[in-house]
Amino acid sequence: MVFSSLVFLCIFFPIIFCLHSVVPSIKAKNVLLIMASLVFYAFGEPVYVVLMVISAFLNYLCAVLMEKVNRKAVLVAAVVVNIGILSVFKYTGFLITTINSVFRFNITIPKITLPIGISFFTFQALSYVIDVYREQVAVQKNFGKVLLYISFFPQLIAGPIVKYRDIAYEIDNRNVNLKETALGMRRFIYGLAKKVLIANTMAIVADSVFTQEFAHINIIGAWIGAIAYTMQIYYDFSGYSDMAIGLGRMFGFHFKENFEHPYGALTIKEFWRRWHISLSSWFKEYVYIPLGGNRKGRLRTGLNKVIVFFLTGLWHGANWTFVVWGLFHGAFSLFEEFVPKLKKLPRVILHIYTMLVVTVGFVIFRADTLGQACIYIGKMFADFEVSAVAMSFACQQLTPFFIAMLIAAVIGCGPIRSLTLKLRDVSEKEEITQKENIVQILLFTVAFLLLSWCIIRLSGGSYNPFIYFRF
Amino acid sequence: MKKYLIFIIACLVVCLLPFVGMAVRPTTVSTENKKMAEFPSLKADNGKLNLKYFEEFEEYFNEHFAFRNELVYADAKLQTSIFQVSNVDTVTYGTDGWLYYSSTLDDYLGNHVMSERQIYNLAHNLSLAKQYTEANGCDFLLTIPPNKNTLYGEHMPYYNSYIVDETHNIDLLTPKLSGLHIPYADLLELFRNEKETLYLKRDSHWNMKGALMAYNCIMDTLGYQHENYGDSDVIRTKDEDGDLNKMLYTFYGEKELNYKYNIEHNFSYSDNFKSVEDGWIETKGGAGNGSLLMFRDSFGNTLIPFMADQFEQAWFTKENPYGLESLVEQCKPDTVVFECVERNIIRFINMPPIISAPQTDVTEVGEHLETSTTISINTLEYDMNYYKISGSVDGAYLEDETDIIVRINGTCYEAYHTGENTYELYIKKDEIKNKSLELEVLLKNNEIFSSVQTKTIDEGERLQ
């Protein structure tokens, strides 16, 4: 089930929310949330829900065993099992395809369906076991609570990758008041609007361009497609994170921010501090720092970064396009490391540089093959042919609705950052002025209208893909 | 705190309304032309647990939630009023409230203008159908209703108006039909010469006046005496709920003006008639003599009353591909009419009418060439009574007007041209007596024949 579906918005969410509000004890609330999360997952994966529960149980068991047997051995076993499960379900086909093409073998590729959100829940589970090993959190003896942490539906299938220590306290102790609920709901609605109104509109154009014959695409069409996809992926994923954070808050959980206006970054390094923060911090904490981080010299730091970017790419999907995308970002991150003078360039130049790298990177990410990515990038920078077919195709993408949503997307992902941060701060304040109160009421009214518009938009079954669902 | 509470309750009400409302007002009818989903069962057909239960439940809910049609209408209204775009893939929202069927966009933009060879192939296939009907004593006529934007493209939106090629396939086809002596009611010319707009604004078809003109054009081209209804009483009423209007605005779209003719028809429909949308319609008792078999599409809906009134007996079918031979054998009509809208004329190449391939004479085969031409034989997927012999011819030997002929055990048959260089022909299974088939593909260029492939197929291979 996805958040931007009517069955979630009209049945699942209101019912679970109302039940959660009326159930008296925290224990009962937790049981309700576990059951709801399993149903939520089973809606899309009626069979693999068992795999998710087994994965949660194995990690629970490993953490418990750490107190009784060799801690390191148990940790190694947990890592092997988690990465093993992830590899079998996500990377088997990729591995065999690569072996077949390198060694010219003809090994049959097994048809394994990728369980929804496996990369997210596996990483969450791993972080719990590693944190227990590091004695950063206490072992949780109650399997239900571990299951709730791993399967909690707001972050189950598309993140953010929550660390156990960040919500351990709230599993047992949480209070939800009207303000928290309203602010959570508002955050959820803003995320929903980002997804339904902007990401879905961008998706239509991006999919149309990326599936079009190359003969029909010139520099204009290629840039329209690349920009549309760059906006789609940001609004799709950050919208989902907003929805997860908002829902979490409505149920009394506080997840950390996952995006901080990444398209406003001036360097690739800064971009990665603002993009999918929960994933970058996971790799930083559990891969980069254990590898030595930046403590073992410049060369080793560079190598560690390359490893992390390689793994980040691979985490996104079983295809060389994702790996190359990760390494592409890694290369620019190293470039910034070794050319510190770059940062002295004017802000506008830096911003253009960063967005160019990000946009070209997402073309590699979106393409089906590296060959397609190369041809597409060639079109973006060198295809100046003004053929009628290509111009007609480019023109077809520029509908008034696409243009309106693109303008909203561009404004929303950069220029209004300071305003949104200010509004966020005002919302959290205990005491607000009359003027601030009017702004709050206005924001709630806008949120209500956006919710209504989203339900209206979804009622006809309009185009509604979810990018991060696949990871 | 009050504002928080109001906000939470308001949001919950909006969310719950489509679900809770199902108790009193579930959606039970849809303007989408499909069967609505049924509530799923926990048990699958094989008696096991239905693993698709949730998926099917979601599908059911998405079609049956309360106020669905009203919400879809609201979405269409918002998208068209504020952003001037349609919210439905199948409908293009034009200027001044004009709606177009999106499937006609490629024709309008000239994205797929056919090659000389394809145009010839299309006309050639139609000529084989004509040859067949005339050999069975029937008159034959082809008519092609133009796409709405071929005639009235000035209301297309700016983003769908960058024309790639002004040429329309129908314009290329017309002289070719004339060259092959295929009787053709040229509706494109008819409507282009009219100043009045004869198509509906919110429908993909012509209005009733346009339908009447098309009918007169068809009957005139056939050379039949007929009632032209020129002196019929006519009024205009604003009660037309167009197909595109319904696709976009469900049940709540604004209706538009259409002509209404006060005509007393003589014919009657058969008992099982439901509406002019039926796939198969039979009529009796028209004023004229003779019988008509008409292969038609939705443009035929408004032609049926006029046409049926001119024939003692008439049959109208929407089937695709046209089961021409079986219906001619069954109905024994005096006249066969093909009516197919411009956007679908490619079907005469992709899915030509099903007939036994016409025999032809081959005088003398000049060259026997070594080519990569292929030959295969299968049962025809649309009619199990026929074999389909098909393949592709080495493109190097094909000119724009090269005919493809297949010799089967010494008898030569004309083949349909189904693509740039592919061919197929149908032979009734009971006509093939020999266990083994000697097949030879011949090309005919300017009355000169050359052989490009031969193949022997035994019975076992044929049965596969």
Side-chain angles (χ1 to χ4, degrees):
Chain A
M1 198 187 307
V2 292
F3 297 156
S4 60
S5 65
L6 287 177
V7 79
F8 179 83
L9 288 170
C10 304
I11 304 177
F12 186 88
F13 159 67
I15 289 177
I16 300 303
F17 172 74
C18 292
L19 285 174
H20 188 266
S21 305
V22 296
V23 167
S25 74
I26 201 97
K27 213 172 174 181
K29 282 182 198 287
N30 286 350
V31 171
L32 170 74
L33 289 180
I34 291 170
M35 286 166 62
S37 298
L38 295 180
V39 170
F40 178 86
Y41 193 76
F43 224 89
E45 295 286 12
V47 177
Y48 281 148
V49 68
V50 179
L51 175 76
M52 196 261 290
V53 175
I54 290 172
S55 165
F57 183 73
L58 287 176
N59 285 286
Y60 157 78
L61 206 62
C62 287
V64 172
L65 281 174
M66 272 187 199
E67 285 192 331
K68 294 171 184 168
V69 291
N70 186 315
R71 296 175 67 79
K72 203 163 192 176
V74 176
L75 175 72
V76 170
V79 172
V80 167
V81 167
N82 278 296
I83 300 298
I85 291 174
L86 186 62
S87 303
V88 166
F89 284 95
K90 190 166 178 174
Y91 300 107
T92 306
F94 171 60
L95 192 70
I96 295 174
T97 309
T98 305
I99 291 170
N100 281 348
S101 61
V102 172
F103 300 105
R104 297 181 183 275
F105 289 168
N106 199 16
I107 306 167
T108 312
I109 301 165
K111 284 180 184 166
I112 302 173
T113 312
L114 180 69
I116 294 168
I118 189 169
S119 307
F120 289 96
F121 69 70
T122 304
F123 269 38
Q124 285 211 173
L126 265 176
S127 83
Y128 166 65
V129 178
I130 298 169
D131 284 357
V132 169
Y133 171 78
R134 289 174 174 175
E135 296 181 341
Q136 288 176 331
V137 290
V139 177
Q140 177 53 261
K141 300 279 169 58
N142 183 330
F143 171 60
K145 289 177 187 174
V146 175
L147 184 60
L148 175 59
Y149 156 66
I150 290 171
S151 70
F152 187 35
F153 72 87
Q155 39 79 27
L156 172 61
I157 56 172
I161 302 165
V162 178
K163 294 192 182 79
Y164 178 70
R165 59 175 183 262
D166 291 336
I167 62 160
Y169 179 77
E170 285 171 339
I171 288 177
D172 292 316
N173 308 279
R174 57 184 190 272
N175 283 312
V176 191
N177 57 31
L178 278 178
K179 183 182 175 184
E180 283 286 300
T181 307
L183 290 179
M185 191 173 268
R186 195 171 82 188
R187 182 71 185 268
F188 172 80
I189 293 168
Y190 286 151
L192 181 71
K194 280 164 89 171
K195 160 72 188 147
V196 174
L197 303 179
I198 297 180
N200 285 0
T201 309
M202 297 297 117
I204 292 169
V205 171
D207 288 357
S208 166
V209 177
F210 276 90
T211 53
Q212 188 57 246
E213 290 171 42
F214 279 122
H216 292 187
I217 302 172
N218 63 4
I219 186 168
I220 300 170
W223 274 101
I224 290 171
I227 292 169
Y229 186 68
T230 303
M231 289 303 166
Q232 181 200 351
I233 194 163
Y234 171 61
Y235 280 91
D236 189 286
F237 195 20
S238 74
Y240 199 95
S241 292
D242 287 336
M243 288 188 265
I245 292 167
L247 281 171
R249 198 167 179 179
M250 292 176 75
F251 292 103
F253 292 91
H254 292 81
F255 303 150
K256 288 182 175 168
E257 290 299 328
N258 207 20
F259 289 86
E260 290 282 5
H261 292 85
Y263 291 169
L266 298 180
T267 60
I268 291 302
K269 280 169 79 175
E270 189 189 349
F271 171 81
W272 278 100
R273 285 198 294 272
R274 298 193 193 182
W275 174 274
H276 202 172
I277 299 163
S278 63
L279 180 71
S280 347
S281 67
W282 195 99
F283 274 114
K284 187 181 173 187
E285 197 169 327
Y286 301 113
V287 181
Y288 180 68
I289 292 172
L291 283 172
N294 58 2
R295 303 186 304 275
K296 295 187 176 177
R298 233 175 154 190
L299 208 66
R300 183 62 190 270
T301 306
L303 180 67
N304 291 344
K305 280 192 173 177
V306 169
I307 292 170
V308 166
F309 275 106
F310 170 84
L311 292 175
T312 304
L314 192 62
W315 179 89
H316 279 83
N319 193 328
W320 285 107
T321 51
F322 295 112
V323 174
V324 171
W325 168 75
L327 293 174
F328 179 76
H329 274 265
F332 280 95
S333 181
L334 285 181
F335 167 67
E336 289 165 11
E337 188 82 39
F338 287 95
V339 189
K341 280 184 184 171
L342 184 85
K343 287 173 196 160
K344 290 179 183 164
L345 288 170
R347 284 175 67 87
V348 67
I349 303 283
L350 283 174
H351 193 223
I352 290 170
Y353 147 77
T354 305
M355 282 315 294
L356 258 179
V357 174
V358 168
T359 307
V360 171
F362 279 137
V363 168
I364 302 168
F365 188 96
R366 173 63 178 79
D368 292 330
T369 61
L370 288 174
Q372 191 197 13
C374 290
I375 297 170
Y376 195 101
I377 294 165
K379 294 261 169 197
M380 285 170 74
F381 293 98
D383 189 348
F384 299 101
E385 197 189 335
V386 191
S387 72
V389 175
M391 292 307 291
S392 180
F393 176 71
C395 189
Q396 281 171 58
Q397 312 311 315
L398 301 175
T399 65
F401 191 54
F402 172 72
I403 293 170
M405 289 303 115
L406 184 61
I407 291 168
V410 171
I411 293 171
C413 71
I416 59 163
R417 186 187 181 205
S418 55
L419 179 68
T420 51
L421 291 176
K422 205 172 172 184
L423 289 171
R424 199 192 289 173
D425 290 343
V426 169
S427 304
E428 301 300 334
K429 276 164 64 177
E430 286 302 324
E431 297 291 326
I432 52 173
T433 63
Q434 198 179 354
K435 206 172 161 187
E436 287 169 341
N437 192 39
I438 292 170
V439 173
Q440 285 300 302
I441 290 170
L442 194 69
L443 290 175
F444 281 122
T445 310
V446 169
F448 174 74
L449 293 174
L450 284 174
L451 174 66
S452 308
W453 192 10
C454 287
I455 289 178
I456 285 171
R457 285 259 62 204
L458 291 170
S459 60
S462 54
Y463 197 54
N464 192 17
F466 240 129
I467 297 180
Y468 264 71
F469 218 52
R470 292 181 294 158
F471 303 138
Chain B
M1 285 300 137
K2 205 172 159 187
K3 64 173 179 281
Y4 300 133
L5 190 63
I6 292 170
F7 173 68
I8 294 165
I9 290 173
C11 290
L12 284 177
V13 167
V14 166
C15 286
L16 278 168
L17 207 60
F19 176 52
V20 176
M22 285 175 80
V24 285
R25 203 172 179 277
T27 300
T28 51
V29 281
S30 163
T31 50
E32 289 154 50
N33 199 12
K34 62 172 188 178
K35 194 179 169 225
M36 291 179 79
E38 288 177 9
F39 196 83
S41 164
L42 274 170
K43 262 189 179 178
D45 292 339
N46 56 10
K48 291 182 180 168
L49 191 69
N50 180 11
L51 291 176
K52 288 189 170 177
Y53 180 84
F54 288 130
E55 194 183 310
E56 289 171 8
F57 173 79
E58 184 165 11
E59 198 184 330
Y60 172 83
F61 178 72
N62 285 343
E63 290 183 11
H64 292 268
F65 66 83
F67 314 112
R68 184 180 187 274
N69 290 322
E70 288 78 4
L71 288 169
V72 172
Y73 167 72
D75 186 38
K77 203 67 189 164
L78 280 171
Q79 293 297 103
T80 54
S81 310
I82 300 172
F83 300 104
Q84 305 292 307
V85 290
S86 160
N87 65 331
V88 181
D89 291 344
T90 46
V91 181
T92 300
Y93 187 78
T95 56
D96 304 320
W98 275 64
L99 306 178
Y100 296 93
Y101 193 44
S102 300
S103 298
T104 59
L105 186 62
D106 277 340
D107 277 334
Y108 176 67
L109 296 176
N111 268 335
H112 300 301
V113 176
M114 290 184 192
S115 64
E116 279 283 319
R117 172 77 190 161
Q118 281 177 308
I119 288 291
Y120 176 73
N121 291 346
L122 213 165
H124 167 82
N125 291 357
L126 285 163
S127 78
L128 295 192
K130 174 213 152 197
Q131 209 176 309
Y132 170 81
T133 49
E134 289 182 349
N136 281 275
C138 316
D139 289 339
F140 177 83
L141 180 122
L142 167 74
T143 190
I144 302 174
N147 295 338
K148 186 168 156 180
N149 44 19
T150 299
L151 294 167
Y152 312 108
E154 61 275 19
H155 297 284
M156 285 290 280
Y158 72 85
Y159 53 87
N160 280 344
S161 290
Y162 197 111
I163 306 290
V164 175
D165 193 330
E166 299 279 357
T167 316
H168 289 276
N169 291 325
I170 189 173
D171 284 320
L172 297 174
L173 180 66
T174 306
K176 206 61 86 182
L177 293 173
S178 156
L180 291 172
H181 309 293
I182 297 169
Y184 175 56
D186 191 346
L187 300 180
L188 183 63
E189 193 191 5
L190 174 78
F191 287 119
R192 271 181 181 158
N193 291 334
E194 286 294 321
K195 280 186 182 157
E196 186 182 345
T197 301
L198 293 160
Y199 275 47
L200 293 158
K201 207 171 162 180
R202 289 165 173 249
D203 192 287
S204 58
H205 305 93
W206 45 44
N207 61 21
M208 276 312 289
K209 189 172 179 182
L212 180 58
M213 286 176 63
Y215 147 77
N216 277 312
C217 179
I218 290 166
M219 296 301 281
D220 288 342
T221 313
L222 281 167
Y224 293 171
Q225 276 200 340
H226 63 283
E227 175 64 63
N228 67 16
Y229 302 109
D231 50 1
S232 303
D233 291 340
V234 59
I235 53 166
R236 292 183 83 196
T237 54
K238 199 175 178 181
D239 59 357
E240 186 66 42
D241 193 3
D243 56 355
L244 303 172
N245 201 38
K246 278 187 271 199
M247 280 184 213
L248 189 60
Y249 297 116
T250 66
F251 298 104
Y252 307 102
E254 189 188 333
K255 293 190 170 55
E256 66 178 305
L257 284 167
N258 197 357
Y259 290 93
K260 272 205 168 164
Y261 289 87
N262 186 15
I263 296 170
E264 276 192 27
H265 292 294
N266 297 308
F267 76 92
S268 61
Y269 291 106
S270 62
D271 291 343
N272 52 0
F273 172 80
K274 290 191 194 85
S275 80
V276 286
E277 293 285 358
D278 290 357
W280 175 254
I281 291 171
E282 287 181 53
T283 65
K284 271 183 184 168
N289 294 321
S291 57
L292 166 74
L293 170 64
M294 184 165 166
F295 293 89
R296 57 99 183 193
D297 52 29
S298 56
F299 275 87
N301 291 0
T302 44
L303 291 176
I304 287 173
F306 297 122
M307 299 294 290
D309 227 15
Q310 306 308 314
F311 293 89
E312 201 178 346
Q313 202 169 5
W315 301 270
F316 302 89
T317 174
K318 275 183 166 177
E319 71 180 16
N320 260 304
Y322 298 175
L324 180 60
E325 185 166 28
S326 63
L327 284 178
V328 165
E329 283 173 0
Q330 180 190 321
C331 305
K332 299 189 172 46
D334 299 306
T335 307
V336 172
V337 170
F338 284 7
E339 177 270 301
C340 175
V341 64
E342 179 188 354
R343 68 170 187 276
N344 288 334
I345 55 173
I346 191 78
R347 284 183 185 162
F348 291 120
I349 295 182
N350 296 338
M351 285 195 292
I354 301 170
I355 50 170
S356 296
Q359 292 184 18
T360 186
D361 293 328
V362 171
T363 47
E364 188 185 348
V365 177
E367 288 181 293
H368 288 263
L369 302 163
E370 288 274 329
T371 73
S372 59
T373 299
T374 61
I375 310 172
S376 66
I377 181 164
N378 307 90
T379 293
L380 178 63
E381 58 267 45
Y382 305 112
D383 190 335
M384 307 294 273
N385 296 315
Y386 292 85
Y387 282 123
K388 178 175 87 174
I389 297 163
S390 60
S392 65
V393 172
D394 192 331
Y397 300 93
L398 287 176
E399 290 172 21
D400 285 342
E401 299 198 358
T402 302
D403 286 339
I404 302 169
I405 290 153
V406 178
R407 196 191 322 245
I408 306 169
N409 292 343
T411 310
C412 291
Y413 299 91
E414 290 203 67
Y416 281 130
H417 304 165
T418 50
E420 275 292 333
N421 63 337
T422 49
Y423 68 90
E424 64 187 45
L425 59 104
Y426 314 132
I427 299 287
K428 279 190 175 168
K429 283 182 176 174
D430 52 18
E431 280 178 18
I432 293 186
K433 312 283 185 207
N434 298 30
K435 285 188 176 174
S436 140
L437 292 180
E438 295 292 334
L439 300 170
E440 182 180 19
V441 177
L442 305 165
L443 300 184
K444 182 185 171 191
N445 273 322
N446 300 322
E447 301 302 320
I448 297 168
F449 295 90
S450 49
S451 170
V452 287
Q453 192 60 276
T454 54
K455 189 175 182 181
T456 304
I457 292 177
D458 62 27
E459 195 179 18
E461 195 178 341
R462 215 163 69 214
L463 290 172
Q464 281 170 5

